[in-house]
């Protein structure tokens, strides 16, 4: 049986393509309905007529729709990354936490693994709910790994930013992760080391 491509199918695909473009350009999610939709309708009507415009206007570009499309794409990308990690058994992890605007504290996790070549990919971005201790960071990362069927035993190395919560001797994140997997290698991000050296030199 031959599957026919309908207007609904093409409108859905177009909606995802516009959402991807908005996300890549880091534009407000209202851009679809406030700018893209009116501009596209005007262009199509001018060049191809009202019938073509009516077809194009069926592409859903509301704020809520664009938000949902971006969320669905991010979930899909995350699932693909996890599956590629599982197929290659081992991965390395870089973790960075910082205080952002309005006192929120995002925890970023980047992964590296070998899939014919070295692949580096954003793994997660999670908000630490209350405090930013080594225990909180470990709990957040462990929760992510468990939810996606991964284990600390699969992590062969970890790189951190050098914050006190990361490197404290007894309660730091690194100390706690080594209890989960003592065979992991650990490293301090060279970019953070360079920044510290620069600050020290500026004081001289």
């Amino acid at each position: 049986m031959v599957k026919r491509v309908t207007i609904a199918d093409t409108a859905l695909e177009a909606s995802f393509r516009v959402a991807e473009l908005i996300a890549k350009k880091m534009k407000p999610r209202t851009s679809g309905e406030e700018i893209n939709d009116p501009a596209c309708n005007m262009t199509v009507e001018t060049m191809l007529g009202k019938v073509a415009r009516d077809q194009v206007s069926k592409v859903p570009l509301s704020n809520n729709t664009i938000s949902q499309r971006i969320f669905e794409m991010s979930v899909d990308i995350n699932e693909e990354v996890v599956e590629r990690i599982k197929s290659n058994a081992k991965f390395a992890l870089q973790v960075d936490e910082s205080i952002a605007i309005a006192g929120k504290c995002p925890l970023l996790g980047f992964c590296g693994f070998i899939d014919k070549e070295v692949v580096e990919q954003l793994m997660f971005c999670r908000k630490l709910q209350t405090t930013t201790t080594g225990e909180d960071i470990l709990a957040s990362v462990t929760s992510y790994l468990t939810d996606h069927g991964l284990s600390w035993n699969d992590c062969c190395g970890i790189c951190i930013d050098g914050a006190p919560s990361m490197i404290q001797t007894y309660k730091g994140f690194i100390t706690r992760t080594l209890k989960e997997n003592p065979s992991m290698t650990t490293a301090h991000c060279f970019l953070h080391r360079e920044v510290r050296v620069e600050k020290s030199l500026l004081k001289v």
Side-chain angles (χ1 to χ4, degrees):
M1 181 177 179
V2 178
K3 183 181 184 300
R4 297 183 180 276
V5 177
T6 65
I7 292 297
D9 293 331
T10 54
L12 179 63
E13 180 181 351
S15 179
F16 270 101
R17 286 179 176 271
V18 173
E20 181 184 15
L21 184 62
I22 291 174
K24 285 183 175 180
K25 296 295 183 180
M26 294 185 287
K27 298 296 183 181
R29 295 176 183 179
T30 55
S31 296
E33 58 183 342
E34 292 180 354
I35 301 175
N36 292 14
D37 195 20
C40 185
N41 287 340
M42 184 183 300
T43 302
V44 171
E45 181 178 356
T46 302
M47 298 188 67
L48 302 175
K50 293 183 178 180
V51 174
R53 179 208 61 191
D54 292 340
Q55 296 298 326
V56 171
S57 65
K58 295 179 181 180
V59 177
L61 295 175
S62 70
N63 176 35
N64 291 339
T65 299
I66 294 298
S67 297
Q68 183 62 29
R69 298 282 186 264
I70 293 174
F71 173 76
E72 290 174 4
M73 287 188 289
S74 67
V75 170
D76 183 68
I77 292 171
N78 185 255
E79 290 178 349
E80 181 180 345
V81 170
V82 170
E83 288 305 313
R84 291 179 69 182
I85 290 174
K86 289 180 178 178
S87 66
N88 290 280
K90 295 293 184 179
F91 67 94
L93 187 63
Q94 179 170 345
V95 180
D96 187 7
E97 56 87 15
S98 60
I99 303 298
I101 299 174
K104 295 180 180 179
C105 184
L107 178 67
L108 297 175
F110 296 85
C111 64
F113 57 93
I114 298 176
D115 186 7
K116 296 182 180 178
E117 60 182 8
V118 176
V119 179
E120 295 179 339
Q121 178 69 45
L122 175 67
M123 199 175 196
F124 59 78
C125 177
R126 317 192 95 191
K127 184 174 72 174
L128 294 174
Q129 298 298 326
T130 53
T131 56
T132 60
T133 64
E135 183 179 6
D136 296 322
I137 297 171
L138 176 66
S140 183
V141 178
T142 301
S143 173
Y144 174 87
L145 295 178
T146 302
D147 291 345
H148 292 84
L150 298 172
S151 168
W152 280 114
N153 292 327
D154 302 322
C155 184
C156 58
I158 190 163
C159 181
I160 46 88
D161 60 7
S165 59
M166 293 285 187
I167 61 175
Q168 285 177 338
T169 304
Y170 299 106
K171 297 182 179 180
F173 173 66
I174 286 295
T175 301
R176 293 175 182 274
T177 55
L178 288 175
K179 291 180 180 178
E180 300 290 333
N181 181 2
S183 64
M184 280 193 300
T185 59
T186 62
H188 186 172
C189 175
F190 73 90
L191 291 176
H192 288 85
R193 292 202 300 266
E194 287 182 355
V195 170
R196 291 192 173 189
V197 171
E198 180 184 10
K199 288 181 178 179
S200 299
L201 292 175
L202 289 175
K203 293 178 180 179
V204 176

